[in-house]
Amino acid sequence: MEKVIFKVFRFNPERDKKPRFDKYEVPIRNGMTVLDALYYIQGYLDGSLAFRSSCREGVCGSCGMHINGKYRLACETQINRLKSKKITIKPLGHLPVIKDLVVDMTDFWEKYSYIKPYLIAGAPPEENERIQTQDDRNKLDGLIDCILCACCYAACTITDTEKNYLGPAALLKVDRFVEDSRDNNKKERLLTVSGDSGIFRCHTLFNCQEVCPKNLDPTGAIARLKRMAISNTLCFWEK
Amino acid sequence: MRYHQAVVVGGGLAGLRAAVALNQRNIKVAVISKVHPIRSHSNSAQGGINAPLGNHPRGCVDSPERHAFDTIKGSDYLADQDAVMRLTKDAAKRIIELEHWGCPFSRTIDGKIAQRPFGGAGFPRTCYAADRTGKYILHTLWEQIIKYIHSSERENMTVYDEWFVTSIVVKDGVCHGVIAMDLDTGELEEFKADAVIFATGGSGRVYKNTTNSLISTGLGVAIPFREGIPLKDMEFIQFHPTTLYGNNILMTEGCRGEGGYLLNNKGERFLANYDDSRKAMEVAPRDIIARNMMREILAGRGFEDAYLHLDLRHLGAEKINTRLPGIRELAINFVNVDPIDEPIPVQPGMHYTMGGIDTNINCETIVKGFYAAGECACVSVHGANRLGGNSLLETVVFGTIAGESAADYILEESPSSSEAALKEKLGQQKIVLMNYLDHNGEENHAKIKEELGTVMKDKVGIFRKKEKMEEALEEVRKLKERYKDIKIIDKGKRMNFDLIWAMELGGNLEVAEVITMGALKREESRGSHYRLDFPERDDKNWLKHTVAFSTPEGVKLEYKDVTLGFYEPRERKY
């Protein structure tokens, strides 16, 4: 059976003074994913390895990590496709390590929560759904598909230098509601993200778009929000 | 000691919907989840959620009664009919409410919620949001939770994510709260509560070939079982016809609802060759299709004696990209097949636990103040076979009912929990935890789990017979013995997954025993439970629910009547 070397980031702040990499040799079968390999290591080589996972099919967003130079989901990364005999795994960046590949997501969730990630609309019809045209619904494609895995957040250079920057995932979520024909809180939403830590911090480096495991485009969404925010401000000034 | 008026265990659809219902009644509620709620298995539901909205041109005469009839017939008449009537009566209201909260449902030409045909349904009544319906509803409900946290006083809604419940506290027939471990610190704490709702999901990982998330272990039904709360109809395990060959990732029934074909190795739509699926073909119910697929494979008309083809090519790229984008993504990512160009290799796989914690129509159990909703519960609305699109519906309808029942109980009876009972249980659980960490045996729990999954797959699967199941029961009991001699390598406290997976396995093993015993005893074939040695349904002897109790002498099975009253049992054909 073919074997691949996994070099895995290890750090248990309870016990370790500093992080290290441990090496494991894992037998590979066709179609095997990086997550399968981590479970093999945990189950058969070293039970003390910690990592998060749940759906193992790329929809829950638990297993974002840095795999051979790129942030990806361990569950949908096939080992064969990495075309390498050595695979290096590190935790998500810009978030403190709790243990090994498990990071503290508090900042990420607080920023997500800060942008009011819920529909704000007037009273709906009593017995029926709101009407939304197919075209209006289609505008949400690509905006509603974020799985909050934080790969973009880890890859973003700005989240590294500006601690309060809201980051790509939260801003994509803002665009998701701004574009929703049912939401009527557009102006307030744009104001919320027009401050120092919002959309204008983005330097359009495309890191988020490049790593997104769902092929979404937070960079594009942020650019759209910037345009809308500017034109809103100009309208105000003209009056 | 922490105190909340109500504690909801589980952060999937049923749990979050229950929390919202409680909060709407001004009850201080905590959601405890072993993963962040947004990581719950509800994410994986793809095809949709049923309600007789009549938004599809062919569904304009649909009604809650017709929906109920299809559900009852689909259940092979084992569902409690009053519960099903409640499910379908509330369906439209719950789904409209999700839309009002922002759920991005796909739309009809006139802008209403879109509906598609699904197996066993007389009309297209499955409301969908592309093929990621569960994910979008989960995110919508989580958004509502954040809204509640923002809008009310903070203490009214608290979420404990990555807290692992190890036990409930029951004394004198009343539930007083739960004991849970903070995964960050490894410390156990008491959660005092006037009412506890379990919404912990299914037991898929008892089987090796399951569509379920890795977290769906069944520990959530084992915990109340240990405290004397019975489990109902656990032998009814749904096998979904179309799961990816190799890893059993779900390929939604929506693939067939949208017109996809199932083909054997001769390129034939073989469902036409079987009496029970000849008319409905690819949209016959899951139990029937799964069995006919296995018959094809066993007759040598499969591929590599293991799988068949799900062919979507004739639907065309546009339909695949708009209605089934997630399916295309999964097939490309996991088996290197683009369904636009090639058929998808599929095989039946364990998908859903019809049975669960025995509750009545109000989600109450035999213990006062303890409720269950969603896949971990058995109300029962699915009976011996669930129809696609009814599980998401169950989570929101009965999640709401559980929340309201618990709120009624708290407000009307003002129960007071016993701190002494909680302290006593905490002491016991600390000893249990210490014993786990002291385990230095010979056995590897990951290996035991692997073996358990294989036994259940091979011997308590789609086709069942006495001898194989007797072997399975013996093997499961042997694995239970070996489990006592496991080794825990990680002795630390923080994020100790070695310990967590070992504790989960304890639940796996108990559930597996109950499933196997129920299946062995039930000498008939009904819905998903198919006995090669008893191939007929036997209403005279077996139109009844299995109820399993945990006793000091081991698992004890009893039976109770099915609630009929609306539709008389008839032969089931499609």
Side-chain angles (χ1 to χ4, degrees):
Chain A
M1 204 182 261
E2 193 192 347
K3 288 191 172 164
V4 166
I5 304 289
F6 279 78
K7 225 178 104 186
V8 184
F9 176 94
R10 302 300 307 272
F11 182 49
N12 182 355
E14 260 186 336
R15 206 180 49 207
D16 306 333
K17 283 217 171 66
K18 54 179 189 185
R20 64 177 191 280
F21 282 91
D22 281 349
K23 277 188 191 172
Y24 306 99
E25 201 180 63
V26 179
I28 302 303
R29 53 178 169 74
N30 198 23
M32 191 166 166
T33 65
V34 170
L35 184 66
D36 293 332
L38 289 173
Y39 268 105
Y40 180 85
I41 295 169
Q42 194 187 59
Y44 296 92
L45 305 176
D46 186 346
S48 69
L49 178 65
F51 57 91
R52 289 191 178 107
S53 69
S54 171
C55 74
R56 64 82 170 87
E57 59 186 30
V59 292
C60 81
S62 299
C63 65
M65 51 186 77
H66 193 261
I67 302 166
N68 272 10
K70 190 178 167 183
Y71 290 105
R72 321 172 202 245
L73 298 178
C75 70
E76 57 177 28
T77 304
Q78 283 187 40
I79 294 165
N80 284 345
R81 288 193 190 169
L82 291 171
K83 297 193 184 345
S84 172
K85 290 279 157 223
K86 203 165 95 182
I87 294 172
T88 307
I89 303 182
K90 291 188 282 190
L92 288 173
H94 308 154
L95 294 163
V97 173
I98 296 175
K99 184 180 169 189
D100 301 337
L101 303 172
V102 178
V103 294
D104 181 350
M105 301 274 283
T106 308
D107 275 1
F108 179 82
W109 294 125
E110 276 181 1
K111 290 170 181 179
Y112 169 80
S113 174
Y114 171 78
I115 60 103
K116 298 193 176 161
Y118 39 83
L119 193 77
I120 300 176
E126 220 162 272
E127 302 233 319
N128 298 308
E129 66 267 55
R130 290 192 190 81
I131 297 299
Q132 183 174 47
T133 65
Q134 290 182 336
D135 283 346
D136 279 340
R137 168 59 183 75
N138 291 345
K139 285 183 191 153
L140 304 181
D141 284 338
L143 299 174
I144 48 179
D145 296 311
C146 173
I147 56 172
L148 301 168
C149 65
C151 282
C152 60
Y153 190 89
C156 174
T157 327
I158 311 302
T159 48
D160 191 32
T161 55
E162 169 55 47
K163 200 183 168 316
N164 294 323
Y165 176 53
L166 291 168
L171 294 174
L172 180 87
K173 193 79 178 175
V174 173
D175 197 29
R176 176 252 176 275
F177 287 106
V178 167
E179 300 291 336
D180 194 324
S181 61
R182 300 170 295 176
D183 191 87
N184 52 20
N185 197 46
K186 197 177 270 193
K187 273 195 180 147
E188 290 75 11
R189 290 191 189 282
L190 288 170
L191 270 178
T192 310
V193 296
S194 294
D196 279 356
S197 324
I199 43 180
F200 295 105
R201 276 279 161 186
C202 169
H203 290 201
T204 323
L205 298 168
F206 293 98
N207 287 2
C208 54
Q209 189 222 49
E210 204 175 294
V211 299
C212 177
K214 300 289 110 185
N215 296 315
L216 309 181
D217 181 15
T219 320
I222 294 168
R224 215 165 25 241
L225 291 172
K226 283 178 182 170
R227 279 199 297 275
M228 280 187 273
I230 290 169
S231 79
N232 261 2
T233 315
L234 290 178
C235 288
F236 175 72
W237 183 66
E238 270 174 5
K239 280 180 201 158
Chain B
M1 185 174 303
R2 293 169 194 261
Y3 170 66
H4 301 270
Q5 283 175 290
V7 160
V8 177
V9 181
L13 295 186
L16 296 185
R17 187 61 190 79
V20 167
L22 284 156
N23 215 304
Q24 283 173 338
R25 301 276 295 273
N26 254 335
I27 305 282
K28 292 186 174 68
V29 55
V31 175
I32 306 182
S33 174
K34 63 184 176 185
V35 293
H36 187 285
I38 217 80
R39 315 303 187 201
S40 301
H41 179 57
S42 304
N43 264 316
S44 298
Q46 298 170 348
I49 175 165
N50 294 339
L53 299 181
N55 290 351
H56 192 285
R58 276 194 283 128
C60 56
V61 293
D62 203 0
S63 68
E65 291 73 29
R66 291 186 157 117
H67 183 183
F69 172 72
D70 288 343
T71 302
I72 291 163
K73 182 182 171 192
S75 81
D76 224 347
Y77 296 91
L78 190 70
D80 284 332
Q81 299 193 359
D82 54 341
V84 176
M85 295 302 263
R86 182 76 197 266
L87 176 81
T88 62
K89 184 169 82 66
D90 288 2
K93 198 170 159 190
R94 293 282 89 86
I95 290 170
I96 298 292
E97 171 183 82
L98 290 170
E99 193 284 328
H100 290 168
W101 289 340
C103 182
F105 284 108
S106 297
R107 298 289 170 156
T108 62
I109 291 182
D110 45 2
K112 296 179 177 170
I113 295 172
Q115 297 186 279
R116 59 166 50 124
F118 244 49
F123 302 96
R125 71 164 73 91
T126 305
C127 308
Y128 65 94
D131 56 356
R132 299 189 179 103
T133 315
K135 181 208 160 238
Y136 295 143
I137 297 178
L138 180 65
H139 279 239
T140 302
L141 275 174
W142 178 241
E143 290 159 18
Q144 290 303 303
I145 298 286
I146 292 176
K147 189 169 140 190
Y148 277 94
I149 292 174
H150 280 182
S151 64
S152 59
E153 299 141 52
R154 172 96 201 179
E155 73 219 68
N156 266 0
M157 175 79 87
T158 314
V159 177
Y160 295 89
D161 64 279
E162 297 189 332
W163 281 71
F164 186 86
V165 170
T166 61
S167 181
I168 59 171
V169 182
V170 177
K171 201 177 174 197
D172 304 328
V174 178
C175 183
H176 299 273
V178 304
I179 308 294
M181 179 168 67
D182 180 355
L183 296 189
D184 259 5
T185 63
E187 299 293 344
L188 289 169
E189 282 195 50
E190 317 102 304
F191 283 75
K192 181 178 162 184
D194 302 330
V196 171
I197 298 176
F198 259 43
T200 56
S203 309
R205 287 282 154 186
V206 169
Y207 284 77
K208 191 182 154 104
N209 58 334
T210 179
T211 62
N212 285 197
S213 293
L214 299 151
I215 56 172
S216 300
T217 59
L219 182 61
V221 300
I223 287 172
F225 185 59
R226 291 167 188 166
E227 299 298 321
I229 297 170
L231 303 182
K232 187 162 75 199
D233 292 339
M234 288 301 287
E235 64 268 31
F236 294 99
I237 299 289
Q238 178 162 77
F239 292 85
H240 195 288
T242 54
T243 77
L244 277 184
Y245 172 57
N247 49 32
N248 299 105
I249 287 173
L250 177 66
M251 297 282 108
T252 175
E253 187 164 318
C255 293
R256 287 169 284 128
E258 295 293 349
Y261 297 148
L262 281 171
L263 304 176
N264 63 16
N265 67 9
K266 294 178 178 150
E268 292 168 345
R269 289 175 67 192
F270 58 87
L271 292 170
N273 304 335
Y274 296 92
D275 268 349
D276 50 0
S277 60
R278 183 168 292 135
K279 213 170 126 208
M281 294 294 285
E282 278 85 357
V283 288
R286 293 173 175 175
D287 56 337
I288 292 172
I289 297 190
R291 278 194 290 274
N292 291 344
M293 288 174 75
M294 284 312 292
R295 292 186 178 115
E296 282 300 290
I297 293 169
L298 292 171
R301 292 189 291 272
F303 299 87
E304 301 174 42
D305 287 332
Y307 63 91
L308 293 155
H309 277 161
L310 172 63
D311 196 350
L312 305 180
R313 289 175 296 182
H314 55 287
L315 302 181
E318 202 201 320
K319 197 165 186 182
I320 292 174
N321 283 329
T322 55
R323 305 273 179 93
L324 303 165
I327 290 304
R328 183 171 178 223
E329 186 186 316
L330 288 169
I332 292 173
N333 282 340
F334 287 93
V335 291
N336 312 315
V337 164
D338 185 343
I340 292 175
D341 306 318
E342 282 175 88
I344 309 170
V346 291
Q347 62 181 181
M350 189 287 174
H351 183 55
Y352 189 84
T353 323
M354 263 83 68
I357 302 164
D358 181 20
T359 78
N360 65 13
I361 192 169
N362 298 318
C363 302
E364 295 157 334
T365 64
I366 61 166
V367 166
K368 254 184 128 77
F370 183 80
Y371 304 80
E375 193 173 342
C376 72
C378 180
V379 179
S380 101
V381 291
H382 307 307
N385 175 62
R386 176 175 70 76
L387 293 188
N390 269 352
S391 64
L392 289 187
L393 182 62
E394 183 196 9
T395 62
V396 290
V397 168
F398 286 97
T400 309
I401 291 173
E404 285 172 355
S405 294
D408 287 344
Y409 170 68
I410 292 168
L411 297 172
E412 285 163 20
E413 301 196 24
S414 340
S416 73
S417 309
S418 149
E419 296 199 358
L422 282 147
K423 283 197 177 121
E424 192 191 331
K425 194 71 178 179
L426 178 69
Q428 283 172 11
Q429 287 296 304
K430 280 188 169 162
I431 295 169
V432 170
L433 184 65
M434 249 161 42
N435 286 343
Y436 264 108
L437 289 171
D438 286 344
H439 267 305
N440 277 317
E442 298 293 316
E443 295 285 349
N444 176 349
H445 58 83
K447 193 158 176 289
I448 294 180
K449 183 162 183 175
E450 183 87 20
E451 288 180 34
L452 174 69
T454 307
V455 170
M456 295 302 285
K457 165 180 170 274
D458 292 343
K459 297 181 179 172
V460 200
I462 295 179
F463 294 127
R464 300 171 169 180
K465 68 179 174 206
K466 185 163 184 256
E467 299 72 38
K468 288 286 165 200
M469 287 193 290
E470 279 170 349
E471 282 170 35
L473 190 58
E474 198 176 312
E475 285 170 51
V476 169
R477 285 177 177 157
K478 270 189 200 149
L479 290 172
K480 269 179 109 172
E481 280 306 307
R482 281 170 58 194
Y483 176 68
K484 291 178 183 158
D485 189 38
I486 56 171
K487 183 182 177 76
I488 303 283
I489 294 160
D490 193 344
K491 306 293 184 194
K493 291 197 152 185
R494 180 180 288 210
M495 289 285 165
N496 186 340
F497 286 94
D498 197 17
L499 170 72
I500 294 160
W501 286 120
M503 289 166 102
E504 295 269 23
L505 178 61
N508 286 147
L509 288 161
E510 285 159 66
V511 172
E513 188 180 3
V514 177
I515 293 171
T516 310
M517 286 175 67
L520 192 55
K521 202 83 180 281
R522 186 176 281 274
E523 295 186 335
E524 67 154 352
S525 290
R526 183 184 297 273
S528 66
H529 172 70
Y530 191 86
R531 290 279 301 252
L532 291 167
D533 39 2
F534 298 93
E536 301 297 327
R537 192 175 86 192
D538 176 2
D539 286 344
K540 194 163 157 263
N541 295 306
W542 288 104
L543 184 57
K544 53 190 182 185
H545 297 295
T546 307
V547 186
F549 290 86
S550 172
T551 74
E553 295 79 44
V555 179
K556 211 175 94 214
L557 299 185
E558 291 179 12
Y559 293 89
K560 71 176 179 189
D561 289 341
V562 175
T563 308
L564 303 170
F566 295 93
Y567 302 100
E568 277 308 300
R570 280 191 297 189
E571 198 196 348
R572 187 165 160 258
K573 263 194 171 168
Y574 290 93

